[in-house]
Amino acid sequence: MSSTKKNWPKLPLGIRLLIAAHSMSVDAFSRNDGSAVNRRLMNLFDPKASPSRKPDNGVVSSDIVVDTTRKLWFRLYSNTTTAGKMFVPIVVYFHGGGFAYMAANSMSYDDLCKRLAREIPAVVVSVNYRLSPEHRYPSQYEDGFDVLKFIDNPDFEGFSAFGNTDTSSSKAFFIAGDSAGGNLAHHVALKACQHQFSRLKLRGVIALQPFFGGEERTESELKLAGAPLISVKRTDWMWKAFLPHGYNRDHQVVNVFGPNSVDISDLPFPPTLVFIGGFDPLQDWQRKYVEGLNKSGKHVYKIEYPNAIHGFYAFPQLPDTSLLMAEIKNFVLKQLDQ
């Protein structure tokens, strides 16, 4: 039985209106066959934030171009209170949006990354990767890993002004992301843990309600078919727009521990923190992800919020958002102590 509105958690009117507007724009401005998104109209519902050279509650930001030919760039967030400190972790963040929507400078992600930089505290690298369906798999993964190589280059001095001043030692970094960005975090980390960086050292993965799936319809997908923001119809469209033509949702990048998955047991995959919401239709796939990591012998920590919808962390006024921030900080500090 699918969920009805009376089963959903009570949300403030402003949040309900924002979710409704976003859902409407996604449905209205995306071609049904997964071949196109009307970017001009979609951007009207995705307000952007400029980088902040003046401290915003202690955080400054700037945009750094990696590759002009594919418009690959990232927004760098620095906490001014960490200036001069030797060991400040780096968080490489991938935004959500089903691989097809949103950007590193979307207002909601600008706010989220500022909060991460402020509360961990950390230097945050928020990646603006290419979007589907114009750019299908593996474009997004390639962009993510290329950003890692860019910041690993000793010629990049973006970390020196605010912490990470010791150039003789490795710099601890974490790969994080939400929804589709959580999927990206897993796959980029999979490649990163097999790469020899010159100055970066991967210490963990942070996946906020990561976007995984498969041909099977899970109980949560059926039960929460009418849940806010995410629906089976929308996620099917996102996978269709993301995958190369001819592949289904049991592709190894979608169903990561499914029939076509790659064995990661022998890979040095780092400890992983996974957040799951009780009103997220994707929650069963996220639990399968946790189970797969466990069976592969990896350290994984699962945090569940029973009343959380998909994308709840975009709304700082929701109590679970503050709890999530505290858990992320604790995880980062714990891994740095290892």
Side-chain angles (χ1 to χ4, degrees), residues 186-255:
H186 169 79
H187 289 290
V188 173
L190 207 56
K191 192 169 183 178
C193 74
Q194 303 173 72
H195 182 77
Q196 186 66 47
F197 292 102
S198 65
R199 62 175 186 168
L200 294 177
K201 183 176 182 180
L202 180 59
R203 303 297 289 271
V205 173
I206 303 166
L208 286 63
Q209 298 179 298
F211 185 25
F212 299 115
E215 285 296 297
E216 170 195 357
R217 293 300 186 205
T218 66
E219 181 180 350
S220 63
E221 285 177 313
L222 297 173
K223 181 180 178 182
L224 298 169
L229 201 60
I230 284 291
S231 67
V232 169
K233 179 181 178 181
R234 290 192 190 110
T235 57
D236 281 358
W237 185 94
M238 290 168 181
W239 291 126
K240 184 190 296 185
F242 173 70
L243 289 170
H245 296 292
Y247 288 90
N248 66 22
R249 295 188 305 274
D250 278 334
H251 191 288
Q252 65 188 42
V253 299
V254 182
N255 194 349

Side-chain angles (χ1 to χ4, degrees), residues 82-189:
T82 63
K85 291 185 178 179
M86 194 169 293
F87 301 110
V88 180
I90 300 162
V91 175
V92 178
Y93 194 88
F94 297 104
H95 68 80
F99 303 104
Y101 310 104
M102 312 299 284
N105 60 346
S106 293
M107 197 167 289
S108 58
Y109 283 108
D110 187 65
D111 290 341
L112 179 63
C113 288
K114 282 179 182 175
R115 191 167 181 181
L116 289 170
R118 185 181 302 120
E119 296 192 19
I120 293 177
V123 172
V124 177
V125 173
S126 182
V127 181
N128 197 73
Y129 54 85
R130 287 171 290 176
L131 299 177
S132 62
E134 298 93 332
H135 306 280
R136 294 174 180 263
Y137 164 82
S139 300
Q140 294 77 7
Y141 302 147
E142 291 171 347
D143 289 351
F145 191 70
D146 284 349
V147 167
L148 293 187
K149 291 190 292 184
F150 182 89
I151 65 175
D152 185 54
N153 191 320
D155 290 337
F156 175 62
E157 299 179 350
F159 301 135
S160 60
F162 298 94
N164 291 287
T165 55
D166 185 359
T167 57
S168 64
S169 60
S170 61
K171 301 179 187 299
F173 81 103
F174 296 78
I175 301 178
D178 69 283
S179 195
N183 177 297
L184 266 165
H186 169 79
H187 289 290
V188 173

Side-chain angles (χ1 to χ4, degrees), residues 40-82:
R40 183 175 61 84
L41 292 178
M42 193 69 206
N43 284 337
L44 297 176
F45 293 84
D46 180 18
K48 301 300 196 293
S50 300
S52 177
R53 296 185 181 277
K54 293 183 178 180
D56 180 357
N57 288 325
V59 175
V60 295
S61 59
S62 60
D63 292 343
I64 297 175
V65 176
V66 176
D67 185 346
T68 56
T69 61
R70 51 181 154 152
K71 298 179 181 179
L72 176 60
W73 58 272
F74 61 85
R75 181 159 290 181
L76 180 68
Y77 298 86
S78 301
N79 188 322
T80 58
T81 65
T82 63

